[in-house]
Amino acid sequence: MVAEQGGPDDEKPLSDEAHSAFSQPAGTEPPAAPPEEDHPTSEFALPAGVTPDSPAPGSGSGSGSASGSETTGSAFALPSTYSFRDSPPAFTPAHGVPMVRLTKEAPWQDRMRTMLRMPVAERPAPEPVQRHDDSGPAVPRVLDLTLRIGELLLAGGEGAEDVEAAMFAVMRSYGLDRCEPTVTFTLLSISHQPSLVDDPVTASRTVRRRGTDYTRLAAVFRLIDDITTADDEISLEEAYRRLAEIRRNRHPYPGWVLTMAAGGLAGAASVLVGGGPLVFVIAALGAMLGDRLAWLCAGRGLPEFYQFVVAAMPPAAMGVALTLTHWSDVRPSAVITGGLFALLPGRALVAGVQDGLTGYYITASARLLEVMYFFIAIVTGVLLALYGGLQLGAELDPEARFITHDRPVIQTFASMVLTLAFAILLQQERATVLAVTLNGGVAWVVYGAMAQTGNLSAVAATAAAAGLVGLFGQLFSRYRYTSSLPFITAAIGPLLPGSATYFGLLGVAQNELDRGLASLSTAVATALAIAIGVNLGSEISRLFMRVPGAVGGANRRAAKRTRGF
């Protein structure tokens, strides 16, 4: 009995070497509970005090003799409410997930636009085609180069979606995956995350100044095309050098040529609305005087709002002066209308509506707000001249708007001259001037055939002609692998609502608000028809082109929403 009551210590040797390092020393009491860190448990174990639910019959993953805690704690066990009969369809379809193949034959604009509209997890892995160090691309330098390229494009009037596509193309060409470009009216930013465990790198740049130079815009597009081409290896140093040359390039046309182009644009616009040779000369002189005054205000640092006010006053003042001289063979309304054609911000309007239609609402709102300020400035300058003329006894005839002008050959030639002058004002390359001039002539022929010969709505005819401009401009840009703006912006010049704007302002100046507001509403509707028609023509061209996309699925992904949600 004594031996049976003896503890295990009675059988252990008394030497210190035989004692275990983890055994309880003699004469001490064991702790009430062992420390928690001495008994690590699985992180999937149930907390103390929680009773596991009994598994449903037949739904457990273990055997029937297994305990409830083992069945519930298994990571692979099915939930108690799971039913094979009522189970939802598998996340991965039986035929698999369609693989996105980016064809090399498609322009980089279409390839990058396709990937921008994909979730980040579904984008294909980048294929670095440019040369960089063995350690990988220099992320800060690539981000800086991308921001500089995006700044030139945004300052040149390119749409927000096209700017994001260009930035995305540059980053992927240098091997940066998981990158997200963001473009607003004045701010560009890039966020790049190397991996899921690394911190993202973000860089941004602000656009301070805007200038119209389509020659520089085309050079930037050629640089991007060379960067994204697998056959050309352009290092970061080479890309920086070419970008610096683009930024330092001189304008293709001197200042006096631009002034003459402004006069030619106003004179050709006056011929479109019924003017003759004398009206052409007077309208051209008024526009050139306004252009020089605007340059003087710009040199003094005045904002663009006041530059537009000053530029709109000389053509209107010349029209009022012709009214006071009582010349019967000269139409003052044609002179004022020609001056308005040279000032209406068609480029900013088209870009603003295009950003809105593609889902960039913040940028679209800012662009349209800019257009509104420019339009108010033009209204202010013209109204000042008209009010002054009314005080002096000028009799401006609002009924002149109803006089028809059936001169198809002369008007077609005038529309082409107007487009040519507009292209020079936009600093386009000489190689693109002929194409855009023909595009503008075709647009006016379509408008005249529908509005004057077919007696259709002027707004509908304008939308149809603008749609053809957008279609042809997109085809020209795909042929030359460049931006579509140089082939579109100048071609919409003959379609601008200069006449409706003038007669609306005249009605306001003569206190006939109903007639004036109705005419201004027609001008706004015509301007929106131009912008929507241009965008629709560009989208129609993409419907019939081979663009990259998912095999067996939609070729071009776009935002899809339900009604109102």
Side-chain angles (χ1 to χ4, degrees):
M1 295 297 294
V2 176
E4 293 177 359
Q5 294 178 357
D9 293 340
D10 297 336
E11 300 177 359
K12 290 181 180 180
L14 299 178
S15 61
D16 295 336
E17 290 81 0
H19 285 287
S20 173
F22 301 98
S23 61
Q24 184 70 26
T28 60
E29 296 180 359
E36 185 178 357
E37 59 270 11
D38 290 346
H39 298 273
T41 58
S42 173
E43 59 182 1
F44 300 102
L46 292 176
V50 178
T51 304
D53 297 332
S54 59
S59 62
S61 61
S63 62
S65 59
S67 63
S69 60
E70 293 176 352
T71 305
T72 307
S74 175
F76 301 98
L78 295 176
S80 59
T81 59
Y82 183 81
S83 174
F84 289 102
R85 179 175 299 177
D86 301 330
S87 63
F91 179 77
T92 303
H95 57 274
V97 178
M99 182 178 64
V100 177
R101 295 177 180 176
L102 301 178
T103 59
K104 298 299 182 181
E105 293 79 9
W108 63 264
Q109 296 98 318
D110 290 336
R111 289 187 279 121
M112 296 304 112
R113 188 182 291 109
T114 301
M115 283 192 291
L116 278 177
R117 296 180 177 182
M118 295 180 186
V120 179
E122 297 183 11
R123 293 174 182 171
E127 300 176 1
V129 299
Q130 302 303 332
R131 183 185 306 165
H132 31 254
D133 299 335
D134 296 336
S135 59
V139 175
R141 297 194 66 195
V142 173
L143 297 184
D144 180 71
L145 175 67
T146 305
L147 287 174
R148 291 177 182 271
I149 290 177
E151 179 188 11
L152 285 180
L153 294 178
L154 187 61
E158 195 66 56
E161 187 179 27
D162 293 329
V163 175
E164 284 194 0
M167 296 169 64
F168 194 73
V170 174
M171 287 184 292
R172 287 185 63 88
S173 298
Y174 286 105
L176 297 188
D177 195 10
R178 298 181 180 275
C179 51
E180 287 292 339
T182 304
V183 175
T184 58
F185 185 58
T186 58
L187 181 65
L188 302 96
S189 63
I190 306 174
S191 179
H192 167 65
Q193 189 173 10
S195 65
L196 295 177
V197 297
D198 294 332
D199 295 333
V201 181
T202 304
S204 61
R205 196 174 184 90
T206 303
V207 178
R208 300 294 183 183
R209 294 185 58 186
R210 299 178 181 272
T212 304
D213 190 345
Y214 283 176
T215 300
R216 179 180 298 174
L217 192 68
V220 175
F221 266 77
R222 283 193 294 269
L223 174 60
I224 300 172
D225 186 62
D226 293 340
I227 291 176
T228 55
T229 302
D231 299 334
D232 300 331
E233 292 186 355
I234 299 179
S235 62
L236 286 174
E237 289 74 13
E238 177 67 16
Y240 266 108
R241 184 189 63 80
R242 291 182 56 178
L243 187 62
E245 292 178 355
I246 294 173
R247 296 179 66 93
R248 290 195 302 264
N249 75 328
R250 294 184 177 182
H251 298 303
Y253 308 103
W256 66 271
V257 174
L258 298 180
T259 301
M260 295 293 293
L265 193 156
S270 66
V271 175
L272 281 180
V273 294
L278 183 58
V279 172
F280 179 93
V281 174
I282 296 175
L285 291 177
M288 288 189 290
L289 179 58
D291 180 77
R292 287 293 90 190
L293 291 177
W295 276 100
L296 181 63
C297 294
R300 296 295 184 270
L302 290 180
E304 284 185 300
F305 180 87
Y306 302 105
Q307 297 177 27
F308 272 81
V309 171
V310 172
M313 293 179 66
M318 285 193 172
V320 171
L322 289 177
T323 304
L324 294 175
T325 57
H326 301 287
W327 284 7
S328 58
D329 56 343
V330 176
R331 294 188 60 203
S333 60
V335 176
I336 301 176
T337 301
L340 290 177
F341 266 89
L343 295 176
L344 291 177
R347 174 181 58 87
L349 175 66
V350 171
V353 175
Q354 181 179 1
D355 288 340
L357 293 176
T358 52
Y360 295 83
Y361 300 113
I362 298 178
T363 306
S365 302
R367 289 186 189 270
L368 294 178
L369 184 61
E370 182 187 36
V371 171
M372 186 189 71
Y373 271 103
F374 289 162
F375 189 77
I376 292 176
I378 296 171
V379 168
T380 303
V382 174
L383 283 181
L384 288 176
L386 292 181
Y387 276 125
L390 292 177
Q391 296 300 322
L392 295 176
E395 298 179 358
L396 299 172
D397 186 13
E399 302 298 329
R401 62 188 297 183
F402 300 107
I403 300 177
T404 59
H405 312 286
D406 190 9
R407 302 181 300 175
V409 177
I410 296 177
Q411 288 179 329
T412 302
F413 180 75
S415 66
M416 297 177 67
V417 173
L418 189 153
T419 305
L420 174 63
F422 204 172
I424 295 175
L425 286 176
L426 295 174
Q427 303 281 356
Q428 290 191 198
E429 291 181 308
R430 293 179 174 88
T432 63
V433 169
L434 178 60
V436 70
T437 301
L438 294 177
N439 200 8
V442 171
W444 179 259
V445 170
V446 173
Y447 170 78
M450 295 181 64
Q452 298 181 5
T453 305
N455 295 324
L456 298 178
S457 171
V459 177
T462 301
L468 285 180
V469 168
L471 176 62
F472 291 154
Q474 200 66 231
L475 294 177
F476 282 134
S477 67
R478 289 298 185 271
Y479 176 73
R480 294 179 177 269
Y481 286 89
T482 183
S483 174
S484 61
L485 288 182
F487 303 99
I488 291 178
T489 306
I492 65 173
L495 305 177
L496 293 175
S499 180
T501 303
Y502 162 68
F503 287 111
L505 298 180
L506 179 60
V508 174
Q510 293 179 343
N511 291 328
E512 298 180 1
L513 296 181
D514 294 338
R515 187 181 62 195
L517 293 179
S519 185
L520 289 178
S521 300
T522 303
V524 172
T526 304
L528 292 178
I530 293 174
I532 295 175
V534 168
N535 181 264
L536 184 60
S538 301
E539 296 297 328
I540 289 176
S541 67
R542 296 191 182 102
L543 290 178
F544 301 100
M545 288 182 179
R546 182 184 178 186
V547 295
V551 177
N555 286 335
R556 185 169 180 263
R557 298 188 178 186
K560 180 174 65 176
R561 298 185 179 91
T562 55
R563 297 177 59 183
F565 297 96

